[in-house]
Amino acid sequence: MFIQTEATPNPATLKFLPGRVVLEEGTADFREAEAAGEASPLAGHLFEVPGVTGVFFGYDFITVTKDGGPDWQHLKPAILGTIMEHFMSGQPVMASAGPGIPSSEEGEFYDAADEEIVSTIKELLETRVRPAVAQDGGDITFRGYEKGTVFLHMKGACAGCPSSTATLKHGIQNLLHHFVPEVRQVEQVV
């Protein structure tokens, strides 16, 4: 098994490509070892590597976030070994029991009168924004729309990335405003 690694715009996060499907659908974002161990055997084992503070699963990639401790050159071998061992064991990435993957529509808010605007925003996010963000090892999901403001949740490499504000304000905000003039600003929610 050959696992590729790619840098992300977030220097504290590295993207791992195991060359196979990680999650058939959706994404999973883990920021605590305890929750990770219950929901995913792989995420639980990755949190056992000293210095790992976050694990994110996409369709065909895993992003791992580290604290300010060890350099990537010291962490990468342990992370690569953990990923390889997991996939070679045949265990599932997500546990069949325990908390499920939250739906991307969970907790959304917007006025029913804005249904058409929200539908266009979601389509743009799905077709233009999310594929680009996945290239960087992250994900962005729609959370709400209110009075010209779009609320988005950033996950994986995008969460806490130094360039995430620029991505939101200059990239996504400009794109959405171009196609949906009612969009005035984009804000990040947690």
Side-chain angles (χ1 to χ4, degrees):
M1 178 175 193
F2 179 72
I3 302 171
Q4 293 179 306
T5 59
E6 292 180 1
T8 70
N10 184 348
T13 303
L14 201 57
K15 181 177 175 182
F16 295 84
L17 298 138
R20 57 182 65 182
V21 173
V22 177
L23 280 184
E24 283 289 335
E25 61 181 61
T27 60
D29 193 15
F30 302 101
R31 296 289 157 200
E32 297 174 2
E34 189 174 299
E38 293 173 17
S40 167
L42 176 55
H45 291 302
L46 287 168
F47 270 104
E48 291 172 3
V49 176
V52 171
T53 60
V55 176
F56 179 80
F57 298 140
Y59 176 73
D60 62 352
F61 65 90
I62 300 162
T63 55
V64 177
T65 303
K66 71 176 188 74
D67 61 15
D71 290 336
W72 281 117
Q73 66 184 15
H74 299 308
L75 283 177
K76 262 175 60 173
I79 293 169
L80 288 167
T82 300
I83 294 170
M84 188 175 301
E85 187 176 303
H86 178 82
F87 280 109
M88 299 307 267
S89 76
Q91 289 183 3
V93 171
M94 299 299 289
S96 55
I101 303 170
S103 161
S104 63
E105 295 185 8
E106 192 175 288
E108 288 183 1
F109 60 91
Y110 56 90
D111 191 304
D114 294 326
E115 185 88 38
E116 192 174 321
I117 291 171
V118 168
S119 177
T120 304
I121 290 168
K122 285 181 173 183
E123 182 180 339
L124 288 166
L125 290 172
E126 196 63 37
T127 59
R128 295 181 182 237
V129 177
R130 291 184 76 201
V133 171
Q135 289 289 321
D136 287 337
D139 194 17
I140 292 183
T141 53
F142 175 84
R143 282 293 169 246
Y145 175 78
E146 186 174 49
K147 298 177 185 169
T149 301
V150 177
F151 297 91
L152 302 173
H153 177 63
M154 301 178 85
K155 301 184 269 187
C158 296
C161 174
S163 62
S164 65
T165 302
T167 299
L168 273 177
K169 295 297 179 188
H170 303 295
I172 299 169
Q173 183 171 295
N174 290 343
L175 172 86
L176 292 178
H177 180 70
H178 176 77
F179 288 101
V180 185
E182 293 86 352
V183 172
R184 297 284 175 237
Q185 65 180 357
V186 175
E187 296 293 329
Q188 180 176 349
V189 295
V190 251

